[in-house]
Amino acid sequence: MFRGRSFAVYFGIILLVLCAGWLLFLRRDSFTGAAVSHILQTLAALYAAVLLLRASSKEAKYWLFYGLGLLVYFVAQLIWSIVTLIRGAEPDYLGIPELLWRLQYLFYLIALYMQYQQRRSNLAFRFILDILLYGTMASTLYWNLLIEPILSHHHVNRDVVGYHMFNSSFNAVIVFLLLFFSWYGKKIISNRANRFLLSGFLIKLLGNTAFVYLLSYAAAGEQWSWIADFCWFIGMMFIGFAALPDKDPLGASLRPGNESRQTFMRRYALIIFVCAALIAVICRLGDFSMISVGAIVAVVLLAIRLSVGIYELESAGAALMQSRVNYDNFVESSLLGVFIEQNGRLVYMNPQGESMFGCEPGQMLGQPLASFLLEADRDRLKQEFSMICRLNQSSRLALAARKSNQTELFLEMQAAPAFFKGKPAISGLLLDVTESKLSEQHLIRSEKLSVIGQLAAGVAHEIRNPLTALKGFTQLLHRRTTDQNRHYFDMMLTELERINYIVGEFMLLSKPHQWQQISSCDMSSLLDDIIPIMQSQAIITNVSISAEKSPDLPIVQCDANQIKQVLVNLMKNAIEAMPGGGELHVHMKKDHKGFLVIDIIDQGVGIPQHVIDRLGEPFYTTKDTGTGLGLTVCFKIIQSHGGTLSITSEPNIGTTATIRLPA
């Protein structure tokens, strides 16, 4: 916040009140009124200069030069006021104050050039052309429309007229350029500040014009001469008010420029119209005069300016086309997903982004990006996008999504505010981090297995010793009990066997290779031994088991009992997945790398993808009576044999468990 803003506002109000009092009671009807007018203008210039100088910074250096211009004006006005007070009348010559009053416009031009530089770089030539063009137009029209009629009918001091014509022309140039900044391209200052600057210089222009007009009328001119003083005072106050801080800091934000041909024509339409008026003036005069020279120079400068503008437009168009080609090549072939969302709907998604989500080209357009995310992240993304639009800043976010085939997708997103077809939008990059995320999950799962193994190694032996005693004495009591209590002992023995089974799973889970008895195994014969065992359970649920074996099956070095346990466990799960009946297929073959591949295929209801992602986690089960260790042991056994176990599933079609073992 601007320090001392309240004081600045109050002091400005005091100056305005003093000016109002001067208008009501003194004006310039006497020497005292003229002296007070000069003092008020001096104070207004100092007040505005201080405000502008205090508002200057490294990013807003133009305020410094506006302030220096008004500081020079203050010095000139101070000298003029002192001389007036000493002599008891206004001097009849301009002298040093005239030079200083003219010097102020040099600082204003530097300030405008600073604003020009912030729009684009290397615009010195354009700036000089614009100053010459606007200055010539302003001087010619000002002379033709205002000064020439006065000089032709009244006797007026031409030096004074020339001085005020100089001031008026420069004020008109400044007004033209401020309008140019306000209407086209980037905004360098806020709307409020720009309006105050425009109003200030325009009122000063009116003051100069009023002064020249009033010179031509003796009595009436003296009676209304206060108008010029009042315009100069108010003009300086308005210029100073432009430096007061804006309540809305976003008012000075940048907006995209439009370099289309339509904008180019709108930009120069007024200048073309004015130059057409100047040509008409030349034709009407029919002779060579100062006005015709000015009109001809203005037309020539306009032609040069238009040529420069057209060249810049064509160069910008060529550069824009090259940038567009480079952009398209980069975005379309990028390894990152690139998206643009506008009004809550995707309006662009590059091929890599569509491939990430497994969508067809154009399938994602018209839908919110949040609709492709997991429900837990949708609201978070919407809040983040809302914050990006509100605070106008970029954001980075980790998201979880789901592909079209329902597999999980983990993404890193970088998003920022942008524009699409001239309207605000949000653009961003998407990075697929699924592999690293799955690796992280695999590491966590391995850590869990390691912890379970350490727990099993330390506890399993200690549990089995008392468990053996409990089982032995229970069997002894079972033989001696009456028929009335026999079913209780049956239940106790069943639960003890279950405990023994779980402890056995723990023992195997801890270090399966310690319990392995590796030997050469014919997997075809092993499967023939397993199928009759599973047939009894399959018949109960109306499931038929079929086996298909390639003739060139390799001999596998493994622990036959452990592999049999894996096959039995997987086939049992497949049968339980078909409570209404179906077919269970077991395929054995040799792949191109010499590995033995065993596929166990059922026709059950399938397994959701989020469940498949967690299969193998210790104690994770979807069964009411399961321990959550069966598949964990299976994964551990196959891994200890140097193989892999993978599970794929399709809803309402079935599940396939694939074992790959090295020969």
Side-chain angles (χ1 to χ4, degrees):
M1 181 61 68
F2 186 90
R3 183 178 297 177
R5 178 187 178 187
S6 299
F7 174 79
V9 173
Y10 293 147
F11 191 78
I13 293 174
I14 291 172
L15 286 178
L16 291 174
V17 170
L18 291 175
C19 180
W22 171 77
L23 284 174
L24 292 173
F25 302 109
L26 294 175
R27 297 189 183 173
R28 289 179 61 94
D29 298 338
S30 62
F31 171 74
T32 303
V36 171
S37 172
H38 293 314
I39 293 173
L40 285 175
Q41 291 183 59
T42 304
L43 293 175
L46 179 62
Y47 168 76
V50 171
L51 289 182
L52 292 167
L53 291 173
R54 292 187 66 177
S56 65
S57 63
K58 186 176 181 181
E59 294 77 19
K61 195 179 289 185
Y62 44 84
W63 289 129
L64 171 65
F65 291 98
Y66 279 123
L68 290 175
L70 280 175
L71 196 61
V72 170
Y73 187 100
F74 160 74
V75 174
Q77 191 65 42
L78 181 63
I79 295 173
W80 185 266
S81 300
I82 292 173
V83 172
T84 299
L85 292 173
I86 292 175
R87 292 193 171 194
E90 291 184 313
D92 54 358
Y93 62 91
L94 296 176
I96 294 177
E98 177 186 2
L99 297 177
L100 294 176
W101 276 322
R102 296 194 183 197
L103 180 63
Q104 66 174 316
Y105 291 103
L106 175 62
F107 292 103
Y108 297 152
L109 292 180
I110 295 174
L112 289 167
Y113 182 65
M114 291 291 177
Q115 291 177 257
Y116 236 71
Q117 274 194 322
Q118 285 190 269
R119 290 187 69 255
R120 292 178 184 173
S121 57
N122 303 323
L123 291 181
F125 180 63
R126 279 184 55 180
F127 180 75
I128 293 172
L129 272 179
D130 284 345
I131 293 296
L132 291 175
L133 175 59
Y134 293 143
T136 305
M137 287 168 47
S139 302
T140 303
L141 291 177
Y142 192 75
W143 185 275
N144 181 58
L145 299 176
L146 299 176
I147 306 303
E148 187 66 25
I150 297 174
L151 295 179
S152 60
H153 297 89
H154 304 276
H155 178 71
V156 181
N157 189 324
R158 289 183 175 267
D159 292 337
V160 176
V161 170
Y163 166 71
H164 285 283
M165 180 180 173
F166 173 85
N167 290 346
S168 300
S169 299
F170 265 103
N171 284 327
V173 169
I174 294 170
V175 169
F176 270 126
L177 290 174
L178 289 174
L179 284 172
F180 174 79
F181 292 142
S182 176
W183 289 344
Y184 308 109
K186 294 179 181 178
K187 291 183 181 179
I188 308 304
I189 58 178
S190 68
N191 289 327
R192 184 196 59 81
N194 198 68
R195 283 194 293 267
F196 272 119
L197 280 178
L198 266 172
S199 301
F201 284 105
L202 188 59
I203 292 172
K204 287 186 67 177
L205 173 61
L206 294 176
N208 289 104
T209 305
F211 186 84
V212 174
Y213 259 100
L214 294 172
L215 280 178
S216 58
Y217 301 94
E222 292 179 3
Q223 182 180 357
W224 295 96
S225 60
W226 59 269
I227 295 177
D229 289 4
F230 176 72
C231 289
W232 291 329
F233 173 85
I234 294 297
M236 285 182 289
M237 293 294 291
F238 273 36
I239 294 172
F241 290 157
L244 288 174
D246 204 340
K247 291 182 180 179
D248 180 15
L250 297 179
S253 62
L254 301 182
R255 60 184 174 92
N258 185 356
E259 296 295 337
S260 66
R261 295 182 183 277
Q262 182 180 3
T263 302
F264 176 77
M265 293 306 298
R266 286 193 297 110
R267 180 174 297 175
Y268 297 105
L270 179 62
I271 302 176
I272 294 171
F273 174 77
V274 172
C275 283
L278 292 175
I279 294 173
V281 170
I282 297 173
C283 297
R284 181 177 63 83
L285 292 175
D287 57 356
F288 191 78
S289 66
M290 181 180 294
I291 298 176
S292 60
V293 170
I296 292 171
V297 171
V299 173
V300 172
L301 288 172
L302 174 64
I304 297 173
R305 186 65 183 86
L306 287 175
S307 300
V308 172
I310 292 171
Y311 172 76
E312 289 179 346
L313 182 64
E314 292 176 348
S315 301
L320 182 63
M321 182 63 69
Q322 294 176 3
S323 299
R324 181 60 183 270
V325 171
N326 294 335
Y327 171 80
D328 289 344
N329 291 338
F330 171 76
V331 171
E332 294 295 320
S333 60
S334 175
L335 296 178
L336 301 175
V338 181
F339 71 90
I340 301 176
E341 183 170 303
Q342 189 176 65
N343 297 325
R345 296 288 184 270
L346 286 171
V347 293
Y348 176 78
M349 178 67 78
N350 73 335
Q352 178 64 19
E354 293 171 333
S355 176
M356 284 182 185
F357 289 92
C359 296
E360 298 294 328
Q363 183 180 348
M364 300 180 69
L365 301 184
Q367 304 180 60
L369 180 62
S371 64
F372 297 91
L373 304 181
L374 297 183
E375 190 171 352
D377 285 343
R378 290 177 186 174
D379 292 338
R380 195 158 60 97
L381 181 68
K382 292 177 182 178
Q383 293 174 2
E384 199 70 23
F385 278 2
S386 176
M387 188 175 298
I388 289 173
C389 296
R390 188 171 63 255
L391 301 180
N392 201 35
Q393 63 184 20
S394 61
S395 175
R396 187 168 184 175
L397 204 61
L399 301 169
R402 196 173 295 282
K403 295 184 179 181
S404 58
N405 61 0
Q406 299 305 307
T407 58
E408 283 193 343
L409 176 66
F410 297 97
L411 300 168
E412 288 282 347
M413 183 198 73
Q414 178 81 33
F419 286 90
F420 182 76
K421 295 185 178 179
K423 296 181 180 180
I426 294 176
S427 66
L429 301 175
L430 296 172
L431 176 63
D432 186 354
V433 294
T434 304
E435 288 190 11
S436 61
K437 193 73 175 180
L438 293 178
S439 298
E440 180 183 346
Q441 291 179 352
H442 179 71
L443 180 61
I444 294 173
R445 182 180 297 178
S446 299
E447 290 293 330
K448 286 182 180 180
L449 290 174
S450 176
V451 171
I452 294 295
Q454 293 174 12
L455 177 64
V459 175
H461 288 289
E462 300 299 328
I463 293 177
R464 271 195 167 173
N465 291 331
L467 187 62
T468 302
L470 286 172
K471 185 177 179 181
F473 284 113
T474 302
Q475 289 173 340
L476 180 62
L477 292 173
H478 179 264
R479 295 193 190 99
R480 297 180 180 180
T481 189
T482 61
D483 293 337
Q484 182 180 359
N485 297 324
R486 186 177 294 275
H487 67 283
Y488 293 117
F489 287 98
D490 290 337
M491 291 175 60
M492 292 170 63
L493 288 172
T494 301
E495 292 304 316
L496 288 172
E497 285 294 338
R498 179 174 172 80
I499 294 173
N500 190 46
Y501 170 76
I502 294 174
V503 172
E505 297 282 83
F506 268 117
M507 295 291 291
L508 186 61
L509 188 61
S510 60
K511 293 183 179 179
H513 59 273
Q514 289 187 356
W515 313 98
Q516 288 176 352
Q517 297 179 355
I518 302 298
S519 61
S520 299
C521 181
D522 182 0
M523 297 302 295
S524 177
S525 300
L526 184 66
L527 183 61
D528 291 339
D529 294 337
I530 294 173
I531 289 180
I533 299 173
M534 303 306 301
Q535 284 285 9
S536 59
Q537 183 179 350
I539 291 173
I540 298 174
T541 56
N542 197 25
V543 173
S544 62
I545 302 176
S546 63
E548 181 180 340
K549 298 174 288 186
S550 299
D552 57 343
L553 293 178
I555 300 298
V556 177
Q557 300 294 320
C558 66
D559 185 320
N561 289 326
Q562 288 188 357
I563 298 299
K564 183 183 292 187
Q565 180 181 350
V566 172
L567 293 176
V568 168
N569 200 342
L570 294 176
M571 292 173 70
K572 181 181 177 183
N573 288 343
I575 293 171
E576 291 175 350
M578 297 182 286
E583 295 183 1
L584 173 60
H585 301 280
V586 181
H587 297 165
M588 280 191 177
K589 60 184 179 181
K590 177 182 178 182
D591 68 2
H592 64 284
K593 292 184 178 180
F595 280 68
L596 175 68
V597 180
I598 306 173
D599 291 325
I600 301 174
I601 308 168
D602 65 51
Q603 296 177 340
V605 295
I607 306 174
Q609 185 60 42
H610 68 277
V611 175
I612 291 179
D613 294 338
R614 298 192 61 185
L615 290 180
E617 288 186 13
F619 307 113
Y620 178 76
T621 180
T622 58
K623 300 177 184 179
D624 295 336
T625 59
T627 63
L629 292 174
L631 279 177
T632 305
V633 171
C634 291
F635 276 101
K636 195 74 173 180
I637 290 173
I638 297 300
Q639 182 182 359
S640 67
H641 281 78
T644 60
L645 171 58
S646 60
I647 298 175
T648 58
S649 182
E650 294 186 33
N652 301 320
I653 294 179
T655 303
T656 300
T658 302
I659 301 171
R660 297 179 75 251
L661 291 171

